[in-house]
Amino acid sequence: TEIFRSDWTFASKRPLRDHDPVPETGEADCSGLSQLVASGPDVPNDSLRNALLTNIFRARQRVWITTPYFVPDELFLEALYIAAIRKVQIVIIVPKKSNHRLADIVREGYLTRLQEAGVEVLLYEPCMLHAKTILIDDTLAIVGSANMDMRSMLLNYEIALCLYDTETIKQLETWMLDRQAHCSARELLARKSFALIEGVSRLFAPLL
């Protein structure tokens, strides 16, 4: 509620009027531990990006990512690359074709670099995939609004929910495994086959 009110006030330049509280129906399940993380120009220290980087560096078994666009900054890319070198299982699920053609072109260089380190890149076949989810080991699940791109991590107003309870993590794992069943493996491309277009397209990466 505090974040919503803050965003409303920032966008409208006036505070949100108080309304009657929404009545609750049934009993809320408060058994799971969760943490809400906001990011944006009004949040110091890039809290969401820092949380992701910290947990990727700490990962021991796996990092599974689902994202519609994959245009990371260099530090985020290196964190995944180093994790793969450490033999952490890295799986990245992206739509085979997103609704942003330039983002699809720009992502190729990043994905190829990670595949060279042993990262598994899966292309979701049925349709556009807008989900943004991350699983790290068996201890953390993250869902939210942030894409794995520079604008989401460094510029946009985003919000994510970090979930720590075992049951929720298993549910997200099941969902991601189901998405993987509808994917094809991305072919590892030779760098020279797209070196020029990759170099030009990276100029636009911070704008995507």
Side-chain angles (χ1 to χ4, degrees):
T1 302
E2 181 181 345
I3 293 173
F4 181 83
R5 287 181 179 277
S6 175
D7 289 348
W8 182 285
T9 301
F10 176 82
S12 65
K13 309 305 179 186
R14 59 183 182 182
L16 180 66
R17 292 185 305 163
D18 287 328
H19 294 276
D20 293 334
V22 178
E24 295 185 3
T25 58
E27 295 184 1
D29 181 4
C30 300
S31 59
L33 179 63
S34 61
Q35 179 183 21
L36 197 64
V37 181
S39 70
D42 61 338
V43 178
N45 301 323
D46 299 318
S47 55
L48 177 56
R49 174 174 174 270
N50 289 348
L52 289 173
L53 287 170
T54 298
N55 283 285
I56 290 171
F57 281 124
R58 288 176 176 172
R60 291 293 177 265
Q61 287 84 38
R62 66 175 175 181
V63 177
W64 292 2
I65 297 173
T66 303
T67 180
Y69 317 112
F70 188 78
V71 189
D73 64 78
E74 288 302 319
L75 183 54
F76 195 89
L77 184 71
E78 285 302 308
L80 292 173
Y81 185 89
I82 292 170
I85 295 298
R86 291 192 289 110
K87 304 303 180 183
V88 176
Q89 182 197 33
I90 312 293
V91 178
I92 299 175
I93 305 172
V94 292
K96 186 173 184 179
K97 289 186 178 180
S98 78
N99 58 350
H100 199 322
R101 181 55 181 159
L102 183 57
D104 289 350
I105 294 172
V106 173
R107 76 185 185 189
E108 294 299 287
Y110 299 105
L111 294 176
T112 293
R113 173 165 169 74
L114 291 177
Q115 280 186 288
E116 290 171 345
V119 171
E120 184 178 4
V121 179
L122 301 177
L123 305 177
Y124 187 67
E125 299 270 6
C127 59
M128 172 61 181
L129 185 63
H130 269 294
K132 297 96 172 172
T133 67
I134 300 177
L135 273 181
I136 298 179
D137 295 339
D138 295 320
T139 57
L140 175 63
I142 302 174
V143 297
S145 63
N147 301 305
M148 297 300 108
D149 60 29
M150 297 183 196
R151 287 187 65 89
S152 281
M153 293 294 117
L154 301 171
L155 181 61
N156 290 352
Y157 291 90
E158 305 287 0
I159 196 164
L161 188 62
C162 299
L163 304 160
Y164 302 96
D165 65 287
T166 302
E167 183 58 34
T168 302
I169 292 171
K170 286 186 177 296
Q171 289 177 10
L172 184 58
E173 178 185 41
T174 299
W175 181 86
M176 294 181 78
L177 285 171
D178 183 68
R179 300 288 84 75
Q180 292 181 32
H182 296 86
C183 290
S184 59
R186 177 184 181 271
E187 181 182 354
L188 179 59
L189 303 178
R191 283 184 175 272
K192 64 180 181 180
S193 66
F194 61 91
L196 177 60
I197 193 169
E198 177 194 359
V200 174
S201 63
R202 280 206 179 199
L203 296 175
F204 298 95
L207 305 177
L208 297 175

